Amino acid sequence: MAIRRTNSMALTAGALALLLTACAGGGGAKTATSGDGRVTGELNTVNATTAVGTGGTVTYTITYPISNWNVLNTGGATYSVIDISSVLLPNAFVIQPDGTVARNETLVTSAEKTADKPQTITYTIDPKAVWSDGTPITADDFAYTWRALNPRQCPKCQAGNTAGYDRITSVKGSNQGRTVTVVFDRPYVDWQALFSPILPAHVAKTYGPTDTPAGLEKSFNEGFAKSVPKFSAGPFRIEEFTADGSVVMVRNEKWYGKAPHLDKLVFRLITDVSQQPTSLANGEVDVIYPNPQVDIVQQVDDLPAVRYQVTPSASVHQIWLNHNAPALKDVALRKAIFQAVSVKDLIAKTIGQFDSTAEPRLSQMFLSGAPGYADVVSAFEYGIGDAEKAKKTLTDAGYTGVGTKLVAPDGKAVGTLRFAVQAGDQLRASEAQLVKAAVAPLGVDVQVATVSNTMDAVQEGNWALTVGTVSQSPFTATSNIPYFLSCEEGASFCRFNLGNYGNPKVDELLDDALSATDAEEATKKLQEADKIVSSDYSILPLYQNRSFLAYNAKLGNIRDNSLAFPTYNSEQWGLLNGS
């Protein structure tokens, strides 16, 4: 197989983050604000205004503590680090709130395919683009990023996603490094997903020589991961990482784009999501971006001088089953659990209480409305809420004690299944309790275990079920690799592919999709894979998640972007005149 997994993929503490396709529809061309503070409008321009002044500070809430600063590293792609990296690191392409992909005109003046055989992409870097220490952004930065994310160059680099980079044979600079020529040995359909972001090659060298695999590994796994970034190629730079886990940013004096309106941008750590609305109300923070929950939306709805957006996001909510848990190695038990859970009921009792448009997601690999989306899971009786069918599935498979205390066909009692849930996340706690109640009539006992860090809990392996959110993007082929590509043989834990799912045929189809010459061909391969994955009963899709962004009404130009995160346009944020 051409696709390799050199290390696990990245998992956020309590939610998964990888750029995958927003299918959320926008409203009209004009922004409208209802009396309750809910903001509607076209996704790319909602809350847009020129009536912002210069100066001031905005405090943005982050939920997860930062222990790894390298957003391209397996442990660094947390929501908090993605928010911060969106401000600091340059991207060749930026995904917009409506899911379209736009070239980052501030960084590259052109980026296009210049040959097919072999596939060749040429980037032209704006001569004004520099890092915060004045070092020009050049082909060296593209080359370093490629080498660190390419398993052939750095087999021990803990790359969050190697897709595409493992097909590049060379990254060469010309025109004083401002022209970057990237050559592939195999076609890569999602080439616009690459080099977003890039890391500074000259900073990497401060961690040691980078001309060997060992040097690359040290700089990528340790240097960028453990060091608070002193560099920036965005509108702000980090001035301080505080003892309480918050981050203070000030203007980047070397920023080559349009000057930011704000003087400071502060990221304040508040791990208890339930406390974030209170902090917003007290003026301790100006922006919160929690997973939407009924009580949080209601609290914010009652706040004066606060505006908020609830929109279908690029992320999807789902339940994972751990294939390494002894009881769940059997497909019959996994199938019975999926049959017993009613996804419609779960939605009605959670996000349906504040968004009546939420519906069950019926595909493993596509979002509703995206090319290729079709109802795949219904044929396998996912989420039907039928305990009797689930009991029959178990009985037919040779289980005994169905409805009382379940015993596997080998005569061993099915032990308690541990459902790991992030502390402070009431939405997921409620979902776990609903699953627990749904499978109890089968004779299956679920223990809902609150953990301080879902990532750590999953890594430890003491879990059978968990629930979380993963993001999706316009790069559908690349997007699905982390969740469904087989883990390395013998792996006890595989980030993103939480349950250690694997199927050789799915691996083959994922590879074919990546190598497709066009998006339509890639979609057909992914549709085939979608059916196979569903037949294996590994992940129970729940719904397309909702994003919830709430902010002080004095702020202009801040808007939701569930793919690139709201900080994607932080240089445009500002305080409305008169605030």
Side-chain angles (χ1 to χ4, degrees), residues 117-140:
K117 294 183 179 181
Q119 178 174 303
T120 303
I121 310 299
T122 303
Y123 304 83
T124 303
I125 303 172
D126 192 306
K128 298 189 298 293
V130 297
W131 296 96
S132 51
D133 61 1
T135 302
I137 298 173
T138 69
D140 290 345

mmCIF file of all heavy atoms in Angstrom, residues 117-140:
data_model
loop_
_atom_site.group_PDB
_atom_site.id
_atom_site.type_symbol
_atom_site.label_atom_id
_atom_site.label_comp_id
_atom_site.label_asym_id
_atom_site.label_seq_id
_atom_site.Cartn_x
_atom_site.Cartn_y
_atom_site.Cartn_z
ATOM 1 N N LYS A 117 2.249 14.918 -15.667
ATOM 2 C CA LYS A 117 3.109 13.742 -15.720
ATOM 3 C C LYS A 117 4.577 14.166 -15.664
ATOM 4 O O LYS A 117 5.165 14.497 -16.699
ATOM 5 C CB LYS A 117 2.828 12.947 -16.999
ATOM 6 C CG LYS A 117 1.442 12.335 -17.042
ATOM 7 C CD LYS A 117 1.241 11.497 -18.300
ATOM 8 C CE LYS A 117 -0.145 10.871 -18.324
ATOM 9 N NZ LYS A 117 -0.350 10.037 -19.534
ATOM 10 N N PRO A 118 5.160 14.162 -14.469
ATOM 11 C CA PRO A 118 4.521 13.896 -13.180
ATOM 12 C C PRO A 118 3.722 15.103 -12.688
ATOM 13 O O PRO A 118 3.960 16.221 -13.157
ATOM 14 C CB PRO A 118 5.705 13.622 -12.257
ATOM 15 C CG PRO A 118 6.786 14.494 -12.823
ATOM 16 C CD PRO A 118 6.598 14.428 -14.323
ATOM 17 N N GLN A 119 2.822 14.848 -11.764
ATOM 18 C CA GLN A 119 2.056 15.955 -11.213
ATOM 19 C C GLN A 119 3.019 16.943 -10.569
ATOM 20 O O GLN A 119 3.855 16.573 -9.743
ATOM 21 C CB GLN A 119 1.045 15.456 -10.185
ATOM 22 C CG GLN A 119 0.247 16.586 -9.527
ATOM 23 C CD GLN A 119 -0.854 16.077 -8.612
ATOM 24 O OE1 GLN A 119 -1.727 15.326 -9.038
ATOM 25 N NE2 GLN A 119 -0.796 16.473 -7.347
ATOM 26 N N THR A 120 2.894 18.200 -10.972
ATOM 27 C CA THR A 120 3.780 19.248 -10.473
ATOM 28 C C THR A 120 2.955 20.462 -10.062
ATOM 29 O O THR A 120 2.092 20.906 -10.818
ATOM 30 C CB THR A 120 4.793 19.668 -11.550
ATOM 31 O OG1 THR A 120 5.536 18.521 -11.986
ATOM 32 C CG2 THR A 120 5.755 20.716 -11.013
ATOM 33 N N ILE A 121 3.220 20.958 -8.870
ATOM 34 C CA ILE A 121 2.536 22.144 -8.361
ATOM 35 C C ILE A 121 3.583 23.236 -8.148
ATOM 36 O O ILE A 121 4.651 22.977 -7.577
ATOM 37 C CB ILE A 121 1.809 21.860 -7.028
ATOM 38 C CG1 ILE A 121 0.944 20.597 -7.126
ATOM 39 C CG2 ILE A 121 0.977 23.073 -6.619
ATOM 40 C CD1 ILE A 121 -0.153 20.666 -8.159
ATOM 41 N N THR A 122 3.272 24.435 -8.583
ATOM 42 C CA THR A 122 4.202 25.554 -8.441
ATOM 43 C C THR A 122 3.557 26.667 -7.617
ATOM 44 O O THR A 122 2.440 27.104 -7.921
ATOM 45 C CB THR A 122 4.627 26.101 -9.813
ATOM 46 O OG1 THR A 122 5.207 25.034 -10.581
ATOM 47 C CG2 THR A 122 5.648 27.216 -9.656
ATOM 48 N N TYR A 123 4.261 27.088 -6.580
ATOM 49 C CA TYR A 123 3.811 28.172 -5.709
ATOM 50 C C TYR A 123 4.745 29.369 -5.884
ATOM 51 O O TYR A 123 5.960 29.208 -6.003
ATOM 52 C CB TYR A 123 3.855 27.769 -4.233
ATOM 53 C CG TYR A 123 3.076 26.530 -3.874
ATOM 54 C CD1 TYR A 123 3.631 25.264 -4.052
ATOM 55 C CD2 TYR A 123 1.802 26.606 -3.315
ATOM 56 C CE1 TYR A 123 2.931 24.110 -3.701
ATOM 57 C CE2 TYR A 123 1.095 25.473 -2.952
ATOM 58 C CZ TYR A 123 1.672 24.221 -3.150
ATOM 59 O OH TYR A 123 0.990 23.083 -2.796
ATOM 60 N N THR A 124 4.179 30.564 -5.866
ATOM 61 C CA THR A 124 4.979 31.785 -5.863
ATOM 62 C C THR A 124 4.696 32.541 -4.576
ATOM 63 O O THR A 124 3.549 32.943 -4.322
ATOM 64 C CB THR A 124 4.651 32.678 -7.069
ATOM 65 O OG1 THR A 124 4.861 31.931 -8.274
ATOM 66 C CG2 THR A 124 5.552 33.906 -7.077
ATOM 67 N N ILE A 125 5.716 32.706 -3.750
ATOM 68 C CA ILE A 125 5.560 33.346 -2.447
ATOM 69 C C ILE A 125 5.694 34.857 -2.598
ATOM 70 O O ILE A 125 6.597 35.355 -3.287
ATOM 71 C CB ILE A 125 6.623 32.834 -1.457
ATOM 72 C CG1 ILE A 125 6.533 31.303 -1.322
ATOM 73 C CG2 ILE A 125 6.459 33.487 -0.090
ATOM 74 C CD1 ILE A 125 7.665 30.711 -0.514
ATOM 75 N N ASP A 126 4.815 35.594 -1.965
ATOM 76 C CA ASP A 126 4.887 37.055 -1.996
ATOM 77 C C ASP A 126 6.218 37.505 -1.387
ATOM 78 O O ASP A 126 6.573 37.070 -0.280
ATOM 79 C CB ASP A 126 3.715 37.646 -1.204
ATOM 80 C CG ASP A 126 3.563 39.140 -1.426
ATOM 81 O OD1 ASP A 126 4.549 39.875 -1.232
ATOM 82 O OD2 ASP A 126 2.456 39.577 -1.782
ATOM 83 N N PRO A 127 6.963 38.369 -2.065
ATOM 84 C CA PRO A 127 8.265 38.810 -1.537
ATOM 85 C C PRO A 127 8.172 39.490 -0.184
ATOM 86 O O PRO A 127 9.161 39.552 0.551
ATOM 87 C CB PRO A 127 8.765 39.793 -2.616
ATOM 88 C CG PRO A 127 8.033 39.412 -3.856
ATOM 89 C CD PRO A 127 6.680 38.922 -3.398
ATOM 90 N N LYS A 128 7.005 39.996 0.174
ATOM 91 C CA LYS A 128 6.858 40.694 1.461
ATOM 92 C C LYS A 128 6.704 39.723 2.623
ATOM 93 O O LYS A 128 6.793 40.129 3.783
ATOM 94 C CB LYS A 128 5.634 41.624 1.412
ATOM 95 C CG LYS A 128 5.720 42.726 0.370
ATOM 96 C CD LYS A 128 4.590 43.730 0.515
ATOM 97 C CE LYS A 128 3.205 43.097 0.304
ATOM 98 N NZ LYS A 128 3.010 42.642 -1.077
ATOM 99 N N ALA A 129 6.441 38.434 2.342
ATOM 100 C CA ALA A 129 6.127 37.471 3.389
ATOM 101 C C ALA A 129 7.369 37.093 4.188
ATOM 102 O O ALA A 129 8.341 36.560 3.637
ATOM 103 C CB ALA A 129 5.498 36.226 2.774
ATOM 104 N N VAL A 130 7.338 37.384 5.482
ATOM 105 C CA VAL A 130 8.468 37.081 6.363
ATOM 106 C C VAL A 130 7.958 36.532 7.692
ATOM 107 O O VAL A 130 6.801 36.739 8.076
ATOM 108 C CB VAL A 130 9.333 38.328 6.640
ATOM 109 C CG1 VAL A 130 9.969 38.845 5.359
ATOM 110 C CG2 VAL A 130 8.508 39.421 7.326
ATOM 111 N N TRP A 131 8.845 35.847 8.412
ATOM 112 C CA TRP A 131 8.561 35.430 9.781
ATOM 113 C C TRP A 131 8.763 36.624 10.708
ATOM 114 O O TRP A 131 9.318 37.648 10.289
ATOM 115 C CB TRP A 131 9.458 34.263 10.184
ATOM 116 C CG TRP A 131 9.205 33.030 9.372
ATOM 117 C CD1 TRP A 131 9.893 32.624 8.264
ATOM 118 C CD2 TRP A 131 8.165 32.070 9.582
ATOM 119 N NE1 TRP A 131 9.349 31.454 7.771
ATOM 120 C CE2 TRP A 131 8.286 31.087 8.564
ATOM 121 C CE3 TRP A 131 7.150 31.926 10.522
ATOM 122 C CZ2 TRP A 131 7.430 29.993 8.461
ATOM 123 C CZ3 TRP A 131 6.297 30.836 10.435
ATOM 124 C CH2 TRP A 131 6.440 29.886 9.414
ATOM 125 N N SER A 132 8.352 36.494 11.934
ATOM 126 C CA SER A 132 8.358 37.640 12.852
ATOM 127 C C SER A 132 9.754 38.122 13.208
ATOM 128 O O SER A 132 9.910 39.224 13.740
ATOM 129 C CB SER A 132 7.581 37.298 14.128
ATOM 130 O OG SER A 132 8.025 36.071 14.677
ATOM 131 N N ASP A 133 10.791 37.302 12.935
ATOM 132 C CA ASP A 133 12.154 37.764 13.173
ATOM 133 C C ASP A 133 12.768 38.384 11.920
ATOM 134 O O ASP A 133 13.954 38.716 11.894
ATOM 135 C CB ASP A 133 13.034 36.624 13.681
ATOM 136 C CG ASP A 133 13.141 35.467 12.683
ATOM 137 O OD1 ASP A 133 12.552 35.561 11.587
ATOM 138 O OD2 ASP A 133 13.793 34.460 13.012
ATOM 139 N N GLY A 134 11.943 38.536 10.870
ATOM 140 C CA GLY A 134 12.401 39.149 9.639
ATOM 141 C C GLY A 134 12.913 38.173 8.589
ATOM 142 O O GLY A 134 13.196 38.569 7.459
ATOM 143 N N THR A 135 13.039 36.881 8.943
ATOM 144 C CA THR A 135 13.501 35.872 7.989
ATOM 145 C C THR A 135 12.449 35.656 6.911
ATOM 146 O O THR A 135 11.277 35.409 7.235
ATOM 147 C CB THR A 135 13.778 34.537 8.697
ATOM 148 O OG1 THR A 135 14.759 34.741 9.718
ATOM 149 C CG2 THR A 135 14.266 33.478 7.715
ATOM 150 N N PRO A 136 12.831 35.723 5.627
ATOM 151 C CA PRO A 136 11.847 35.523 4.556
ATOM 152 C C PRO A 136 11.242 34.124 4.593
ATOM 153 O O PRO A 136 11.919 33.147 4.955
ATOM 154 C CB PRO A 136 12.674 35.721 3.276
ATOM 155 C CG PRO A 136 13.838 36.549 3.704
ATOM 156 C CD PRO A 136 14.152 36.120 5.104
ATOM 157 N N ILE A 137 9.975 34.032 4.249
ATOM 158 C CA ILE A 137 9.326 32.734 4.050
ATOM 159 C C ILE A 137 9.717 32.254 2.660
ATOM 160 O O ILE A 137 9.498 32.957 1.669
ATOM 161 C CB ILE A 137 7.798 32.846 4.182
ATOM 162 C CG1 ILE A 137 7.422 33.321 5.591
ATOM 163 C CG2 ILE A 137 7.125 31.511 3.876
ATOM 164 C CD1 ILE A 137 5.940 33.612 5.768
ATOM 165 N N THR A 138 10.321 31.075 2.584
ATOM 166 C CA THR A 138 10.852 30.594 1.310
ATOM 167 C C THR A 138 10.533 29.119 1.105
ATOM 168 O O THR A 138 9.879 28.479 1.945
ATOM 169 C CB THR A 138 12.381 30.763 1.253
ATOM 170 O OG1 THR A 138 12.986 29.850 2.193
ATOM 171 C CG2 THR A 138 12.794 32.188 1.574
ATOM 172 N N ALA A 139 11.067 28.598 0.007
ATOM 173 C CA ALA A 139 10.914 27.181 -0.311
ATOM 174 C C ALA A 139 11.499 26.298 0.785
ATOM 175 O O ALA A 139 11.068 25.146 0.948
ATOM 176 C CB ALA A 139 11.584 26.871 -1.650
ATOM 177 N N ASP A 140 12.454 26.815 1.550
ATOM 178 C CA ASP A 140 13.030 26.026 2.640
ATOM 179 C C ASP A 140 11.964 25.619 3.651
ATOM 180 O O ASP A 140 12.003 24.514 4.206
ATOM 181 C CB ASP A 140 14.131 26.814 3.353
ATOM 182 C CG ASP A 140 15.377 26.982 2.503
ATOM 183 O OD1 ASP A 140 15.514 26.255 1.496
ATOM 184 O OD2 ASP A 140 16.209 27.848 2.851
#
